[in-house]
Amino acid sequence: MQFTVQQIANALGAEAEGNTDLTILRAAEPGDAGRTDLAMAMSPKYAEALGSGSARVAMLWPGADWRTMGLEAAIFAPRPRMAMAGVTRLLDRGQGVQPGIHPSAVIDPTAEIGADVSIGPLAVIGARARIGKGSMIGSHCVVGMDASLGEGALLREMVSIGARALIGDRFIAQPGARIGGDGFSFVTPEVSGVENVRKTMGDQGEAKAQSWLRIHSLGAVEIGDDVEVGSNSTIDNGTIRNTRIGDGTKLDNLVHVGHNTRVGNDCLLCGQTGISGSVDIGNNVVLGGQTGVVDNIFIGDRVISGGGTKILSNVPAGRVIMGYPGVKMETHTEIYKAQRRLPRLARDVEALKKAVSNQAPSE
Amino acid sequence: MQFTVQQIANALGAEAEGNTDLTILRAAEPGDAGRTDLAMAMSPKYAEALGSGSARVAMLWPGADWRTMGLEAAIFAPRPRMAMAGVTRLLDRGQGVQPGIHPSAVIDPTAEIGADVSIGPLAVIGARARIGKGSMIGSHCVVGMDASLGEGALLREMVSIGARALIGDRFIAQPGARIGGDGFSFVTPEVSGVENVRKTMGDQGEAKAQSWLRIHSLGAVEIGDDVEVGSNSTIDNGTIRNTRIGDGTKLDNLVHVGHNTRVGNDCLLCGQTGISGSVDIGNNVVLGGQTGVVDNIFIGDRVISGGGTKILSNVPAGRVIMGYPGVKMETHTEIYKAQRRLPRLARDVEALKKAVSNQAPSE
Amino acid sequence: MQFTVQQIANALGAEAEGNTDLTILRAAEPGDAGRTDLAMAMSPKYAEALGSGSARVAMLWPGADWRTMGLEAAIFAPRPRMAMAGVTRLLDRGQGVQPGIHPSAVIDPTAEIGADVSIGPLAVIGARARIGKGSMIGSHCVVGMDASLGEGALLREMVSIGARALIGDRFIAQPGARIGGDGFSFVTPEVSGVENVRKTMGDQGEAKAQSWLRIHSLGAVEIGDDVEVGSNSTIDNGTIRNTRIGDGTKLDNLVHVGHNTRVGNDCLLCGQTGISGSVDIGNNVVLGGQTGVVDNIFIGDRVISGGGTKILSNVPAGRVIMGYPGVKMETHTEIYKAQRRLPRLARDVEALKKAVSNQAPSE
């Protein structure tokens, strides 16, 4: 895999200057870059390290004076992370999936495998499952009975997709992602302490200790186009309807999405975020790492939560929230500052009490 | 899989009215229900959507006037979620596990496989492992050496069970569940900063930087009857004694149970809950999503924690707690309300200070 | 596997007394110990239970009067957990990995397998991968293309190691550990609401809703010697440079380490800890369970965080922190105490307001 500087610039729709015929094999950090690397130095801060590497070509900010940096050529990136997207896409060497179907894979004769599909060693494809053309299925993956995977999927190793899952095009799943485990849904024969606590906000009442009966998941998981699911993340089947993930939504590692929940389009769910069952999440929502969301609420479009936020009630569209419980970010900052001053405040109140008591008319 | 309305009602021990000979193939939400579906409309709110679907039969609340809803038959559910348990159990189409032992499975000749056991493709069963009758072992599962699994187990794909695990009857494990990884237990040759911090509540003292020595796990995991473990959850081996999960306890996805910990009967550990090592948890405890529990404490029977609670000390039986650190839910609510008023309180105190200083006798 | 009391004492460098020729097969808790068990009773509290077991030999604290406890021999442990490390190492019966390469494993002909390597059933070893001598690779493991694993590795079942990972000697990975998933890195064509929120601490500004473009991971994961990774934990590939884990660092279960992050030597990352991308963590850092760390910060050497801490900004070396956001542990305790008194404080201020208003000069 190699490109000229000009080919990379063209792929990015970017300007290049200097000897644009130079060949690039890799991208590298400025200080580590060798003579066939493209040094990623999109701000003056990063460009400082160019001197300690031996790059001849760098990706720089518009207007950067590349000649004084000892370079022979440069590509200019007006929006650094966009350039990153383009360059890394071009130079990705992948995982070495072999074309064709590995003889050790176990494929049900009724499965429909599209054209140009790669299936790695020891994968299992169930009855009537459909794999869209151009998909790459990693080793040890399981695609369940009646599941459907769109075109151009990329499943890394040990991904599991449960029966009846419906997944759109260009799906990416990192190692160990679990689509379509059963939902966590149980009931006691009589009213339980948890049910009472939800009503009373804290009182279990007279509920007696009971065992849990299982509510099975008859629904499946439905996923739009251009969705990515991180390593060891889990999306559970719905109870009656399907759990749904909208187009363009991305889940980081170890994220949990409960049964019946609907996540809109173009959302980001960052690492270890957990969403309970029957939550309704709008479009373009970004939940920071370790966000938690209780069941049966809605989160409007464009909501953003800071890392660690616990969302315990509905959130209107466009709101930026933080904290436990999650409140508007400004409110959180205000509360937090007041908290830090709290010990002093307590001392002030003690002093005031004394002062006022001293001043009290001596009746 | 199909049932008459009457058969479903009988299975639930429920009353049915109307044309109870109608055939049902699926359960559906009222608005999506077709002519052979059972619409789940156990409250007037859900029944409203019946008009936009084409259900002929619905599950309704007792006394509901089904004829005016355009239905031909109805089943009545005094406790909606209990009816859900019954209906979903009946109509669950499962994952399509094939009967018998798949030829690609790798089964040690000394393993004891009970009657009517299904073992999926590419599963591995270790030396002297025992699988109880009627169990279904999904593809790519591993049952370790000397492990024992009771009757009627259902392991989804890629479940791993470590050596010497002892598991009761009717065990359910979702994809990627890990039973019997080694405990996380390390020690430094001399006293460490962490040990000092625990004693002093914040001071590392003079502890020097050291490397960690591993404490191996000689114990295993011991699980009662009717336990379910969610996708990608982990239960670690004990150090000397076994880690234990009691009868009827259910773990959601991505839950962590540390070494030596004992969880009682009929508990629910919701999504991403994490329990450290050597914790003692009673019966009928419900820990909300993302609850955390520090090591070496006990949690009494019937304790309930709200989502995101961090439990840092012992909790007496029956208590309902919330927050970080977890306190009684009422206390948490009271503290939280006071916090929201805190900025105003600070302003009040400032005003008071001014007022008192103005009133001070001008000596 | 059996040892005499003397052999165990020698292995630990410890003193033994009594009939040190007795044979030991297992370690046990004092109350459960049988006649061929070593009872672990390193404090008087634990020794009390010796009477209800039938141990003939115990591990005791220095100076303990073993004869009065009905024992025939004793080993003395000045530092109990160090003795645990030694005893459990000696008596670990392991997972029963068979020597040699299982015929069902799928091994690329270009892979380099060292001497005395065990490879379990259905493992997959990619092109040009190197496995150091004496390593044990569990069933269903995947070692990716061009990955390198040092000597004496122990991979439990279903561990995945991505392409180009570089791993040192004596690596241990628990079931389902994921090394080298792709980083979670996305960008919108124009400035996003999240970018604005980061600058303004809470205001999304005029950013419009957009879809996310993927930044691929060209880097890999680089791991030092003596590292252990827990069940279902995930370490992501770097974007340009490698994500790095230093020598002697241990990760518990369900831990997440984001792309580009560097973790130093001899750190402990406890259960469900999540570290975002591009974080720089020093040596001998201990992060308690469910700690969260935002991206692009540094955490100095010997920092310790309590369970549940959310680290939102740089932390200087040696600091002990707790809370959300994480602050010095003493500060956290002080704030927390003040919070608990907050409702009372509010009532005091109300009373003061009344008192001051009554005392106000009646102008």
Side-chain angles (χ1 to χ4, degrees), chain B residues 2 11 27 76 80 83 91 105 125 150 163 171 174 186 228 240 255 269 271 284 289 311 315 326 339 343 351 363:
Chain B
Q2 62 178 65
F76 300 99
L91 296 176
I125 313 292
F171 179 63
Q174 300 296 332
F186 297 91
E228 177 158 353
I240 301 295
V255 168
L269 308 185
N284 299 96
I311 305 181
V315 185
Q339 268 183 11
E363 297 159 85

Side-chain angles (χ1 to χ4, degrees), chain B:
Chain B
M1 183 183 296
Q2 62 178 65
F3 300 91
T4 64
V5 173
Q6 192 60 56
Q7 285 172 324
I8 294 175
N10 292 350
L12 302 182
E15 298 294 315
E17 294 183 4
N19 181 0
T20 59
D21 293 335
L22 285 174
T23 294
I24 294 298
L25 302 182
R26 286 195 329 156
E29 302 216 322
D32 302 333
R35 291 176 57 79
T36 54
D37 292 345
L38 174 64
M40 305 302 281
M42 279 93 91
S43 76
K45 189 183 114 195
Y46 290 112
E48 281 171 25
L50 280 168
S52 50
S54 45
R56 297 191 292 170
V57 189
M59 177 85 71
L60 299 171
W61 62 101
D65 184 3
W66 56 276
R67 284 178 187 87
T68 65
M69 299 173 191
L71 298 167
E72 299 176 33
I75 306 173
F76 300 99
R79 185 155 160 74
R81 285 173 62 82
M82 276 299 285
M84 273 298 218
V87 167
T88 58
R89 183 178 175 177
L90 216 56
L91 296 176
D92 189 345
R93 286 174 289 166
Q95 295 288 323
V97 179
Q98 299 294 310
I101 294 175
H102 196 275
S104 64
V106 177
I107 299 179
D108 192 279
T110 61
E112 296 173 34
I113 313 294
D116 300 319
V117 166
S118 304
I119 297 184
L122 307 164
V124 172
I125 313 292
R128 297 173 303 280
R130 279 153 297 166
I131 314 278
K133 71 177 177 194
S135 292
M136 297 199 287
I137 309 297
S139 60
H140 300 97
C141 284
V142 172
V143 179
M145 166 175 88
D146 294 307
S148 169
L149 200 53
E151 301 185 359
L154 168 58
L155 307 190
R156 287 280 304 264
E157 60 273 20
M158 302 187 217
V159 171
S160 57
I161 295 176
R164 297 173 289 279
L166 297 171
I167 300 179
D169 292 338
R170 295 171 299 283
F171 179 63
I172 297 178
Q174 300 296 332
R178 311 278 165 228
I179 313 300
D182 270 16
F184 191 70
S185 189
F186 297 91
V187 61
T188 47
E190 296 172 39
V191 171
S192 68
V194 171
E195 287 172 85
N196 286 337
V197 164
R198 279 170 180 265
K199 274 184 206 136
T200 60
M201 295 297 293
D203 184 7
Q204 299 212 31
E206 298 301 301
K208 63 178 183 190
Q210 300 166 76
S211 293
W212 300 94
L213 283 158
R214 188 171 203 273
I215 296 177
H216 291 240
S217 296
L218 304 183
V221 174
E222 205 175 318
I223 291 179
D225 294 331
D226 299 300
V227 169
E228 177 158 353
V229 178
S231 296
N232 284 345
S233 285
T234 66
I235 304 174
D236 277 359
N237 286 329
T239 305
I240 301 295
R241 69 169 187 246
N242 292 338
T243 302
R244 282 215 297 243
I245 309 288
D247 294 342
T249 284
K250 321 291 185 184
L251 279 66
D252 198 351
N253 296 352
L254 296 165
V255 168
H256 163 65
V257 177
H259 57 282
N260 304 340
T261 284
R262 305 186 220 207
V263 181
N265 300 334
D266 294 321
C267 297
L268 293 189
L269 308 185
C270 298
Q272 297 177 324
T273 284
I275 301 174
S276 304
S278 302
V279 177
D280 210 327
I281 297 183
N283 300 323
N284 299 96
V285 169
V286 177
L287 301 182
Q290 299 186 336
T291 292
V293 182
V294 294
D295 56 288
N296 286 287
I297 64 170
F298 73 80
I299 296 180
D301 293 344
R302 287 169 294 105
V303 164
I304 296 175
S305 73
T309 300
K310 306 303 166 201
I311 305 181
L312 307 182
S313 54
N314 295 331
V315 185
R319 184 155 291 181
V320 180
I321 58 172
M322 183 140 194
Y324 173 27
V327 292
K328 267 194 196 174
M329 197 173 280
E330 301 106 87
T331 310
H332 182 260
T333 306
E334 204 187 23
I335 290 176
Y336 175 62
K337 282 183 186 159
Q339 268 183 11
R340 300 241 16 190
R341 287 191 297 255
L342 193 48
R344 181 145 46 91
L345 190 74
R347 286 192 296 271
D348 285 358
V349 170
E350 276 316 297
L352 278 166
K353 281 161 75 175
K354 231 173 252 171
V356 168
S357 139
N358 287 343
Q359 286 173 28
S362 46
E363 297 159 85

Side-chain angles (χ1 to χ4, degrees), chain A residues 59-117:
Chain A
M59 178 84 71
L60 300 171
W61 61 100
D65 184 3
W66 56 274
R67 283 177 188 88
T68 64
M69 299 173 190
L71 298 168
E72 299 175 34
I75 306 174
F76 300 99
R79 185 156 161 74
R81 283 173 63 81
M82 277 299 285
M84 274 296 219
V87 167
T88 58
R89 184 178 174 178
L90 217 56
L91 297 175
D92 189 344
R93 287 174 288 165
Q95 296 287 324
V97 179
Q98 300 294 311
I101 295 175
H102 196 276
S104 65
V106 177
I107 300 179
D108 192 281
T110 62
E112 297 173 33
I113 311 295
D116 301 317
V117 165

Side-chain angles (χ1 to χ4, degrees), chain C residues 312-347:
Chain C
L312 307 182
S313 54
N314 295 332
V315 186
R319 185 155 291 181
V320 180
I321 59 172
M322 183 139 194
Y324 174 26
V327 294
K328 267 193 198 177
M329 197 172 277
E330 302 105 87
T331 309
H332 181 261
T333 307
E334 203 187 26
I335 290 177
Y336 175 63
K337 282 182 186 158
Q339 267 182 13
R340 301 241 16 189
R341 287 191 298 256
L342 195 49
R344 182 147 44 90
L345 190 73
R347 287 191 294 271

